[in-house]
Amino acid sequence: MNNNLLMKSVQSINTVGPRRAASLQRIGIFTVGDLLYHFPRRYEDRTRLSPAGACAQGGIATVRGTVLASQDLKPKPGLVITKLAVHDGSGVFYAVWFNQPFIKKILTPGKNVYITGKVDRSYGATQLAVEDYEVDDGSDSLSAGRLVPIYALTERLNQRQLRVMIKTALTVLNNQINDFLPGEIIEKYHLPRVERALCQAHFPDREKEAAAARKRFIFEELFLFQLVLAVRKRDITRSEKNHRYVPEGNLLRLYQKNLPFQLTGGQRKVWEEISADLDRPRPLHRLLQGDVGAGKTVISTMTMLRAVESGLQAALMAPTEILAEQHYLGLSRDLAAIGVEIGLLTGATRKKERELLLARLANGELKLLVGTHALLQGDVSFQKLGLVVVDEQHRFGVRQRAALGHKGNLPDTLVMTATPIPRTLALTLYGDLDISIIDELPPGRNPVKTYAVLPRALPKALSLIREQVNLGRQAYIVCPLVEESEKIDLQAAVDLSVDLAANDFKDFQVGLLHGRMKSVEKEEIMLRFRRGDIKVLVSTTVIEVGVDIPNATVMIIMDADRFGLAQLHQLRGRVGRSERQSYCILVANPKTDEGRARLRAMTRTSDGFVLAEEDLRLRGPGEFHGTRQSGLPEFKIADLLRDGKILQIAREEAQALAQRDPYFKSSENRALLAEMKARFGEGIDISGA
């Protein structure tokens, strides 16, 4: 929070020395504010104190008593058991610690103490295996007789120490911080003010107060982030672009004429939305969503052609070299007939080739460029960049989108996603964008029949491939490839392709495709697969996006439980791209409930939006999106899956405030602006405010 007291080093608290400060830094706590915003993961109800003898065997109990004596037992090398005899007013029980002999020096005979631990009567006398303790010095207890906060910890830091630090910090506050949330919002949603909320979040009087405090901080996090997005959207909608588009011309007509199909109703609707935005004086800033195979690439290509025939340049940024190459190959194939040249710029582009490409880009000769993050490099200069298309693939955030936009003078921006994104994530990640959804698939496509089978059924799945190939079709066999076991996974794919070529499919051409191959080799393999020379393609996930072979009707995914739902759905989308019946066989023996749930979901539905919601439910927002890559902030207390309703309210309030006071002129909103800059100023451009 943007407050002098809260911005002080955590060492300004008298219970935090250099060693403890170093421990706190390992969990991201550097300031007093960081410490107070390190919220409990949960609470333990220790409001009821009972004599040890009255507590149930195996249960967790909190007992108050007086230390009578102590002893150390050493049953074997490396193990010290410290036992304290404690009288609880009804009788004696034994508190037990393992390898903590220093406890005897802290809890000396005569001291009163609260002990929390697991009750054990296996050896006759009542024992408590200690999980937590606190000396009873007559002051309010932080570990007993109340709802007790339980925190995420790190090495050399225990719950008791952290509670004391936080309690000390709360005492120092003493009505010295001002609330930055507008009073109107606090009253409207019955939110506690910040200082009371901090006290009740850490040391609640009752569960009701804890829930109210958590609601306040959930709203606060989501509201601030939505405000940042609202500010970005405000700047876009109030800015006027310097370029204009001519009416749809010959390039677009020829491109659509050459398409082997008519646009669907969903595609036409989305194209009308995008075209209308292009014709407006304000920059287009839109997210294009659609299920696998819905035809997003056609729409993005039409958008780029509209820029090219208006004398502008267009850039398409993809997250990986493989995907950038696939976009480049696809566009080159589709646009060669109408005379539009495309350039490709990645980290692998050779120096001389790169220099020539950049020169042609700078003088305006090259109109359309496809690339990776390499497009963001300082020496990449466009003569007249009018349109940026970002193939998001969940891996670019607000900052990367903005960085490419800075290459032009307020260019139009179209963001595509490879698979559908759940509504809560779309509102959070893309809250600064308008959203277009292609809500139907091309006609005549049958749903892909999907089966989950155990590895022992693989021969039967291979028979299905043989049957389909004999009918003139083609097939994929996909092997997992993850960074942690890349060498082993790659070798497994190579071995499988060799084995299949020598045995099951010795009568067919079997190809191998993986990301470690040179671009020329990959292009050659894909060309032979497109021509139909290769009948069975063994591949890693490089074929996940952008490969369109209508003749392929079978996909076998090996170790399918190692893939996320979105990835499985994207892979399945490589088949079923014609009117012929297609099949997807998921080969796996999942060992976890989550793995089984993913396979079950895949066999039950082919709706990408349903699967995206299920994937979010199973994995949570951070895992689903890869927090660092996506630009999704690491929320301290909000959960996008659980807190969808609060997110919607926060979004509405943020947009309303940005409309009422777009430049935060009111004295009340200046505090809000300061807080936004303190939290997001380094990561997100809010300079317009």
PDB file of all heavy atoms in Angstrom, residues 42 44 46 59-61 96-97 115-118 128-133 158-160 163:
ATOM      1  N   ARG A  42      -5.455 -20.440   6.335  1.00  0.00           N
ATOM      2  CA  ARG A  42      -6.659 -20.954   6.996  1.00  0.00           C
ATOM      3  C   ARG A  42      -6.594 -20.565   8.469  1.00  0.00           C
ATOM      4  O   ARG A  42      -5.622 -19.935   8.915  1.00  0.00           O
ATOM      5  CB  ARG A  42      -6.751 -22.481   6.854  1.00  0.00           C
ATOM      6  CG  ARG A  42      -5.574 -23.228   7.439  1.00  0.00           C
ATOM      7  CD  ARG A  42      -5.627 -24.727   7.153  1.00  0.00           C
ATOM      8  NE  ARG A  42      -4.430 -25.405   7.635  1.00  0.00           N
ATOM      9  CZ  ARG A  42      -4.260 -25.871   8.864  1.00  0.00           C
ATOM     10  NH1 ARG A  42      -5.243 -25.733   9.767  1.00  0.00           N
ATOM     11  NH2 ARG A  42      -3.149 -26.468   9.226  1.00  0.00           N
ATOM     12  N   GLU A  44      -7.365 -22.178  12.557  1.00  0.00           N
ATOM     13  CA  GLU A  44      -7.711 -23.313  13.413  1.00  0.00           C
ATOM     14  C   GLU A  44      -8.532 -22.793  14.583  1.00  0.00           C
ATOM     15  O   GLU A  44      -8.164 -21.790  15.213  1.00  0.00           O
ATOM     16  CB  GLU A  44      -6.444 -24.013  13.930  1.00  0.00           C
ATOM     17  CG  GLU A  44      -5.790 -24.892  12.891  1.00  0.00           C
ATOM     18  CD  GLU A  44      -4.639 -25.725  13.458  1.00  0.00           C
ATOM     19  OE1 GLU A  44      -4.386 -25.639  14.685  1.00  0.00           O
ATOM     20  OE2 GLU A  44      -3.995 -26.438  12.673  1.00  0.00           O
ATOM     21  N   ARG A  46      -9.273 -22.775  18.029  1.00  0.00           N
ATOM     22  CA  ARG A  46      -8.728 -23.189  19.321  1.00  0.00           C
ATOM     23  C   ARG A  46      -9.419 -22.424  20.448  1.00  0.00           C
ATOM     24  O   ARG A  46      -8.824 -22.101  21.478  1.00  0.00           O
ATOM     25  CB  ARG A  46      -7.215 -22.949  19.367  1.00  0.00           C
ATOM     26  CG  ARG A  46      -6.440 -23.706  18.293  1.00  0.00           C
ATOM     27  CD  ARG A  46      -4.951 -23.471  18.422  1.00  0.00           C
ATOM     28  NE  ARG A  46      -4.215 -23.991  17.273  1.00  0.00           N
ATOM     29  CZ  ARG A  46      -2.923 -23.764  17.050  1.00  0.00           C
ATOM     30  NH1 ARG A  46      -2.217 -23.028  17.916  1.00  0.00           N
ATOM     31  NH2 ARG A  46      -2.328 -24.255  15.979  1.00  0.00           N
ATOM     32  N   GLY A  59      -7.050 -36.957  18.241  1.00  0.00           N
ATOM     33  CA  GLY A  59      -7.524 -35.629  17.859  1.00  0.00           C
ATOM     34  C   GLY A  59      -6.487 -34.552  18.139  1.00  0.00           C
ATOM     35  O   GLY A  59      -5.497 -34.779  18.838  1.00  0.00           O
ATOM     36  N   ILE A  60      -6.714 -33.364  17.574  1.00  0.00           N
ATOM     37  CA  ILE A  60      -5.854 -32.211  17.849  1.00  0.00           C
ATOM     38  C   ILE A  60      -6.505 -31.405  18.967  1.00  0.00           C
ATOM     39  O   ILE A  60      -7.692 -31.060  18.878  1.00  0.00           O
ATOM     40  CB  ILE A  60      -5.681 -31.324  16.599  1.00  0.00           C
ATOM     41  CG1 ILE A  60      -5.110 -32.137  15.431  1.00  0.00           C
ATOM     42  CG2 ILE A  60      -4.786 -30.124  16.907  1.00  0.00           C
ATOM     43  CD1 ILE A  60      -3.718 -32.677  15.656  1.00  0.00           C
ATOM     44  N   ALA A  61      -5.744 -31.125  20.015  1.00  0.00           N
ATOM     45  CA  ALA A  61      -6.295 -30.415  21.171  1.00  0.00           C
ATOM     46  C   ALA A  61      -5.378 -29.272  21.572  1.00  0.00           C
ATOM     47  O   ALA A  61      -4.171 -29.299  21.304  1.00  0.00           O
ATOM     48  CB  ALA A  61      -6.461 -31.378  22.342  1.00  0.00           C
ATOM     49  N   VAL A  96       5.441 -33.537  23.973  1.00  0.00           N
ATOM     50  CA  VAL A  96       6.588 -34.202  23.350  1.00  0.00           C
ATOM     51  C   VAL A  96       7.060 -33.429  22.117  1.00  0.00           C
ATOM     52  O   VAL A  96       6.260 -33.082  21.242  1.00  0.00           O
ATOM     53  CB  VAL A  96       6.214 -35.648  22.937  1.00  0.00           C
ATOM     54  CG1 VAL A  96       7.392 -36.341  22.269  1.00  0.00           C
ATOM     55  CG2 VAL A  96       5.737 -36.437  24.150  1.00  0.00           C
ATOM     56  N   TRP A  97       8.385 -33.154  22.067  1.00  0.00           N
ATOM     57  CA  TRP A  97       9.025 -32.545  20.901  1.00  0.00           C
ATOM     58  C   TRP A  97      10.102 -33.491  20.369  1.00  0.00           C
ATOM     59  O   TRP A  97      10.706 -34.240  21.139  1.00  0.00           O
ATOM     60  CB  TRP A  97       9.718 -31.233  21.266  1.00  0.00           C
ATOM     61  CG  TRP A  97       8.833 -30.046  21.497  1.00  0.00           C
ATOM     62  CD1 TRP A  97       8.552 -29.053  20.621  1.00  0.00           C
ATOM     63  CD2 TRP A  97       8.152 -29.695  22.712  1.00  0.00           C
ATOM     64  NE1 TRP A  97       7.728 -28.107  21.190  1.00  0.00           N
ATOM     65  CE2 TRP A  97       7.469 -28.480  22.481  1.00  0.00           C
ATOM     66  CE3 TRP A  97       8.040 -30.298  23.973  1.00  0.00           C
ATOM     67  CZ2 TRP A  97       6.700 -27.848  23.447  1.00  0.00           C
ATOM     68  CZ3 TRP A  97       7.269 -29.678  24.938  1.00  0.00           C
ATOM     69  CH2 TRP A  97       6.604 -28.470  24.672  1.00  0.00           C
ATOM     70  N   ILE A 115      -0.384 -25.493  24.906  1.00  0.00           N
ATOM     71  CA  ILE A 115       0.167 -26.547  24.051  1.00  0.00           C
ATOM     72  C   ILE A 115      -0.920 -27.000  23.075  1.00  0.00           C
ATOM     73  O   ILE A 115      -2.042 -27.315  23.489  1.00  0.00           O
ATOM     74  CB  ILE A 115       0.618 -27.779  24.878  1.00  0.00           C
ATOM     75  CG1 ILE A 115       1.680 -27.390  25.918  1.00  0.00           C
ATOM     76  CG2 ILE A 115       1.104 -28.895  23.957  1.00  0.00           C
ATOM     77  CD1 ILE A 115       3.045 -27.136  25.349  1.00  0.00           C
ATOM     78  N   THR A 116      -0.584 -27.043  21.775  1.00  0.00           N
ATOM     79  CA  THR A 116      -1.490 -27.611  20.768  1.00  0.00           C
ATOM     80  C   THR A 116      -0.790 -28.796  20.124  1.00  0.00           C
ATOM     81  O   THR A 116       0.371 -28.685  19.697  1.00  0.00           O
ATOM     82  CB  THR A 116      -1.847 -26.576  19.683  1.00  0.00           C
ATOM     83  OG1 THR A 116      -2.531 -25.481  20.293  1.00  0.00           O
ATOM     84  CG2 THR A 116      -2.742 -27.188  18.611  1.00  0.00           C
ATOM     85  N   GLY A 117      -1.472 -29.943  20.084  1.00  0.00           N
ATOM     86  CA  GLY A 117      -0.844 -31.111  19.483  1.00  0.00           C
ATOM     87  C   GLY A 117      -1.801 -32.277  19.366  1.00  0.00           C
ATOM     88  O   GLY A 117      -2.975 -32.192  19.749  1.00  0.00           O
ATOM     89  N   LYS A 118      -1.277 -33.379  18.842  1.00  0.00           N
ATOM     90  CA  LYS A 118      -2.088 -34.579  18.619  1.00  0.00           C
ATOM     91  C   LYS A 118      -2.062 -35.458  19.872  1.00  0.00           C
ATOM     92  O   LYS A 118      -0.997 -35.761  20.412  1.00  0.00           O
ATOM     93  CB  LYS A 118      -1.537 -35.356  17.422  1.00  0.00           C
ATOM     94  CG  LYS A 118      -2.418 -36.519  16.988  1.00  0.00           C
ATOM     95  CD  LYS A 118      -1.895 -37.137  15.694  1.00  0.00           C
ATOM     96  CE  LYS A 118      -2.818 -38.248  15.218  1.00  0.00           C
ATOM     97  NZ  LYS A 118      -2.351 -38.844  13.945  1.00  0.00           N
ATOM     98  N   LEU A 128       0.891 -35.312  24.218  1.00  0.00           N
ATOM     99  CA  LEU A 128       0.567 -34.452  23.080  1.00  0.00           C
ATOM    100  C   LEU A 128       1.822 -34.284  22.233  1.00  0.00           C
ATOM    101  O   LEU A 128       2.841 -33.775  22.734  1.00  0.00           O
ATOM    102  CB  LEU A 128       0.072 -33.069  23.539  1.00  0.00           C
ATOM    103  CG  LEU A 128      -1.457 -32.860  23.551  1.00  0.00           C
ATOM    104  CD1 LEU A 128      -2.068 -33.736  24.646  1.00  0.00           C
ATOM    105  CD2 LEU A 128      -1.803 -31.397  23.794  1.00  0.00           C
ATOM    106  N   ALA A 129       1.782 -34.769  20.981  1.00  0.00           N
ATOM    107  CA  ALA A 129       2.881 -34.518  20.038  1.00  0.00           C
ATOM    108  C   ALA A 129       2.728 -33.071  19.584  1.00  0.00           C
ATOM    109  O   ALA A 129       1.792 -32.728  18.854  1.00  0.00           O
ATOM    110  CB  ALA A 129       2.799 -35.468  18.852  1.00  0.00           C
ATOM    111  N   VAL A 130       3.632 -32.201  20.016  1.00  0.00           N
ATOM    112  CA  VAL A 130       3.416 -30.755  19.929  1.00  0.00           C
ATOM    113  C   VAL A 130       3.513 -30.248  18.491  1.00  0.00           C
ATOM    114  O   VAL A 130       4.484 -30.514  17.778  1.00  0.00           O
ATOM    115  CB  VAL A 130       4.426 -30.003  20.823  1.00  0.00           C
ATOM    116  CG1 VAL A 130       4.210 -28.490  20.712  1.00  0.00           C
ATOM    117  CG2 VAL A 130       4.278 -30.455  22.266  1.00  0.00           C
ATOM    118  N   GLU A 131       2.483 -29.512  18.085  1.00  0.00           N
ATOM    119  CA  GLU A 131       2.490 -28.823  16.794  1.00  0.00           C
ATOM    120  C   GLU A 131       2.718 -27.328  16.975  1.00  0.00           C
ATOM    121  O   GLU A 131       3.233 -26.658  16.081  1.00  0.00           O
ATOM    122  CB  GLU A 131       1.155 -29.054  16.066  1.00  0.00           C
ATOM    123  CG  GLU A 131       0.924 -30.508  15.681  1.00  0.00           C
ATOM    124  CD  GLU A 131      -0.384 -30.718  14.931  1.00  0.00           C
ATOM    125  OE1 GLU A 131      -1.117 -29.720  14.709  1.00  0.00           O
ATOM    126  OE2 GLU A 131      -0.679 -31.868  14.568  1.00  0.00           O
ATOM    127  N   ASP A 132       2.303 -26.801  18.129  1.00  0.00           N
ATOM    128  CA  ASP A 132       2.418 -25.368  18.377  1.00  0.00           C
ATOM    129  C   ASP A 132       2.397 -25.152  19.885  1.00  0.00           C
ATOM    130  O   ASP A 132       1.797 -25.941  20.632  1.00  0.00           O
ATOM    131  CB  ASP A 132       1.227 -24.646  17.715  1.00  0.00           C
ATOM    132  CG  ASP A 132       1.461 -23.148  17.539  1.00  0.00           C
ATOM    133  OD1 ASP A 132       2.573 -22.675  17.846  1.00  0.00           O
ATOM    134  OD2 ASP A 132       0.524 -22.458  17.081  1.00  0.00           O
ATOM    135  N   TYR A 133       3.075 -24.108  20.336  1.00  0.00           N
ATOM    136  CA  TYR A 133       3.018 -23.774  21.759  1.00  0.00           C
ATOM    137  C   TYR A 133       3.199 -22.272  21.923  1.00  0.00           C
ATOM    138  O   TYR A 133       3.682 -21.578  21.019  1.00  0.00           O
ATOM    139  CB  TYR A 133       4.095 -24.530  22.554  1.00  0.00           C
ATOM    140  CG  TYR A 133       5.488 -23.986  22.347  1.00  0.00           C
ATOM    141  CD1 TYR A 133       6.012 -23.012  23.201  1.00  0.00           C
ATOM    142  CD2 TYR A 133       6.283 -24.427  21.288  1.00  0.00           C
ATOM    143  CE1 TYR A 133       7.286 -22.497  22.996  1.00  0.00           C
ATOM    144  CE2 TYR A 133       7.543 -23.926  21.080  1.00  0.00           C
ATOM    145  CZ  TYR A 133       8.049 -22.950  21.938  1.00  0.00           C
ATOM    146  OH  TYR A 133       9.297 -22.432  21.736  1.00  0.00           O
ATOM    147  N   ASN A 158       8.693 -20.057  12.116  1.00  0.00           N
ATOM    148  CA  ASN A 158       7.554 -20.877  12.530  1.00  0.00           C
ATOM    149  C   ASN A 158       6.311 -20.013  12.711  1.00  0.00           C
ATOM    150  O   ASN A 158       6.368 -18.781  12.660  1.00  0.00           O
ATOM    151  CB  ASN A 158       7.877 -21.684  13.797  1.00  0.00           C
ATOM    152  CG  ASN A 158       8.201 -20.801  15.003  1.00  0.00           C
ATOM    153  OD1 ASN A 158       7.531 -19.791  15.243  1.00  0.00           O
ATOM    154  ND2 ASN A 158       9.226 -21.183  15.762  1.00  0.00           N
ATOM    155  N   GLN A 159       5.172 -20.683  12.906  1.00  0.00           N
ATOM    156  CA  GLN A 159       3.893 -19.976  13.001  1.00  0.00           C
ATOM    157  C   GLN A 159       3.903 -18.956  14.140  1.00  0.00           C
ATOM    158  O   GLN A 159       3.436 -17.822  13.982  1.00  0.00           O
ATOM    159  CB  GLN A 159       2.754 -20.989  13.219  1.00  0.00           C
ATOM    160  CG  GLN A 159       2.520 -21.948  12.069  1.00  0.00           C
ATOM    161  CD  GLN A 159       1.897 -21.274  10.860  1.00  0.00           C
ATOM    162  OE1 GLN A 159       1.409 -20.146  10.922  1.00  0.00           O
ATOM    163  NE2 GLN A 159       1.921 -21.965   9.729  1.00  0.00           N
ATOM    164  N   ARG A 160       4.426 -19.358  15.281  1.00  0.00           N
ATOM    165  CA  ARG A 160       4.409 -18.488  16.459  1.00  0.00           C
ATOM    166  C   ARG A 160       5.192 -17.203  16.200  1.00  0.00           C
ATOM    167  O   ARG A 160       4.739 -16.098  16.513  1.00  0.00           O
ATOM    168  CB  ARG A 160       5.003 -19.266  17.646  1.00  0.00           C
ATOM    169  CG  ARG A 160       4.944 -18.570  18.987  1.00  0.00           C
ATOM    170  CD  ARG A 160       5.324 -19.560  20.086  1.00  0.00           C
ATOM    171  NE  ARG A 160       6.318 -20.519  19.633  1.00  0.00           N
ATOM    172  CZ  ARG A 160       7.627 -20.274  19.590  1.00  0.00           C
ATOM    173  NH1 ARG A 160       8.091 -19.102  19.961  1.00  0.00           N
ATOM    174  NH2 ARG A 160       8.470 -21.204  19.186  1.00  0.00           N
ATOM    175  N   ARG A 163       3.265 -14.936  13.779  1.00  0.00           N
ATOM    176  CA  ARG A 163       2.118 -14.289  14.434  1.00  0.00           C
ATOM    177  C   ARG A 163       2.574 -13.097  15.276  1.00  0.00           C
ATOM    178  O   ARG A 163       1.939 -12.037  15.263  1.00  0.00           O
ATOM    179  CB  ARG A 163       1.386 -15.302  15.325  1.00  0.00           C
ATOM    180  CG  ARG A 163       0.568 -16.307  14.557  1.00  0.00           C
ATOM    181  CD  ARG A 163      -0.155 -17.271  15.486  1.00  0.00           C
ATOM    182  NE  ARG A 163      -0.436 -18.511  14.772  1.00  0.00           N
ATOM    183  CZ  ARG A 163      -0.086 -19.721  15.185  1.00  0.00           C
ATOM    184  NH1 ARG A 163       0.544 -19.882  16.346  1.00  0.00           N
ATOM    185  NH2 ARG A 163      -0.366 -20.783  14.464  1.00  0.00           N
TER     186      ARG A 163
END
